[in-house]
Amino acid sequence: MQRGSGRDAVVRLPWHVEVAHRPLPVAAEHPSDAVVTPVLPDGSSPWPISVDLGLLLGRLVAEHDRRSVLEFGAGRSSLVVATAMAAQGGGALTSLEQDVTWCAELWTQVEAVGSDVDAELAPVTPRLGWSPIGLHHRYEVHDLLTRRGPFDLVVVDAPQYWFGRGGALPTVRPHLTDGALVVLDDAARKGERWALYRWLRTYPRLELLAYDASFGGRGVALLRWNGPVDAAHRFSLLGVVSTVTDRLYSVLRRALVRVGVLSQPD
């Protein structure tokens, strides 16, 4: 829920936690836009990232000199990030994807960007697990992230639907650099707002830089990790309990979708 307008607006996350609505304007041209514009989505499909998010990722790579990027969810964003890094002299891109077949054609383009970009596509399966934020689905990729990290930019655009995205931060937190940026796509949706709430309540070192509920028509949150990866976390009773009820709700909703009572899985 959003109250007010512009920079004075306030967005209410679950349990009445309020954050300032800080827009991320991308209308004004930026030097990096010319680099990534040729590989932005054309709008013919609802699945790729929004054009606004593509521009934002290109700007983050260029302005903040991001050289080690981790993606939860591969696809058009992979090509945008790889193209932006190549223009900056190269880097490493690690992409975690549940269904590598759907993005196979795009990944061929990623690999063709150039040898300066070390790109690796890793097939993954969400599994139920436990972390300081509570119960959630996560990818078992510790060894991979240890080998490929640490990461200075993380893009969270998966898992999809009932799996939830809350497990992304606990998964990557041990592999973040001091000052790493985290981009949460679709941040206006209920599930993503819950994820954001739990992250902020659990990790004191996590700073919310911007939250724009209307960005790209889907919303986005930009966060920064400050300090060592082994920094202490807080226990949030409401956050943990809500993860259990959330998983139960997801199981029920998924069953209703399967039998045709509901048409939308998310």
Side-chain angles (χ1 to χ4, degrees):
M1 184 176 68
Q2 181 177 328
R3 296 187 288 107
S5 61
R7 293 187 175 276
D8 295 326
V10 171
V11 176
R12 178 169 291 175
L13 300 179
W15 293 104
H16 307 293
V17 173
E18 295 184 340
V19 298
H21 181 266
R22 303 174 185 139
L24 281 167
V26 292
E29 290 189 7
H30 185 274
S32 66
D33 295 351
V35 173
V36 300
T37 293
V39 297
L40 292 177
D42 59 12
S44 60
S45 169
W47 294 111
I49 60 171
S50 66
V51 170
D52 285 350
L53 183 60
L55 292 173
L56 175 63
L57 294 178
R59 295 178 185 188
L60 292 178
V61 170
E63 288 185 4
H64 300 275
D65 194 27
R66 303 289 108 160
R67 301 282 180 166
S68 182
V69 181
L70 174 67
E71 291 184 304
F72 287 77
R76 181 63 59 173
S77 60
S78 312
L79 183 56
V80 169
V81 169
T83 301
M85 285 198 298
Q88 294 296 112
L93 170 64
T94 306
S95 302
L96 310 178
E97 175 56 45
Q98 290 172 247
D99 183 5
V100 296
T101 59
W102 93 268
C103 64
E105 183 178 343
L106 276 170
W107 196 258
T108 299
Q109 297 179 55
V110 171
E111 293 177 325
V113 165
S115 59
D116 289 338
V117 177
D118 174 16
E120 181 170 341
L121 177 62
V124 290
T125 301
R127 301 189 185 280
L128 201 59
W130 190 268
S131 79
I133 72 167
L135 186 67
H136 54 78
H137 283 88
R138 63 184 298 169
Y139 300 140
E140 300 299 333
V141 289
H142 178 75
D143 291 344
L144 171 68
L145 301 191
T146 299
R147 174 170 60 85
R148 298 284 295 177
F151 304 99
D152 53 23
L153 175 60
V154 179
V155 183
V156 182
D157 194 21
Q160 300 296 336
Y161 303 131
W162 42 75
F163 291 115
R165 297 177 180 175
L169 190 65
T171 297
V172 73
R173 185 190 59 82
H175 310 280
L176 293 175
T177 63
D178 184 4
L181 298 175
V182 179
V183 178
L184 176 63
D185 193 20
D186 304 311
R189 300 192 307 193
K190 179 181 178 181
E192 279 68 15
R193 287 189 291 112
W194 268 111
L196 187 59
Y197 162 80
R198 293 169 186 139
W199 293 353
L200 294 172
R201 296 285 289 183
T202 304
Y203 298 109
R205 295 284 187 172
L206 189 65
E207 178 185 2
L208 181 64
L209 300 179
Y211 180 90
D212 190 337
S214 60
F215 185 90
R218 307 172 186 175
V220 71
L222 178 63
L223 307 102
R224 180 172 58 209
W225 178 263
N226 300 306
V229 295
D230 58 352
H233 59 267
R234 296 178 298 208
F235 176 74
S236 170
L237 177 61
L238 291 177
V240 170
V241 170
S242 69
T243 64
V244 178
T245 58
D246 187 47
R247 291 303 91 205
L248 292 174
Y249 169 78
S250 296
V251 170
L252 175 61
R253 188 174 182 85
R254 186 174 184 178
L256 293 176
V257 169
R258 186 180 295 116
V259 299
V261 175
L262 296 177
S263 59
Q264 295 295 328
D266 187 21

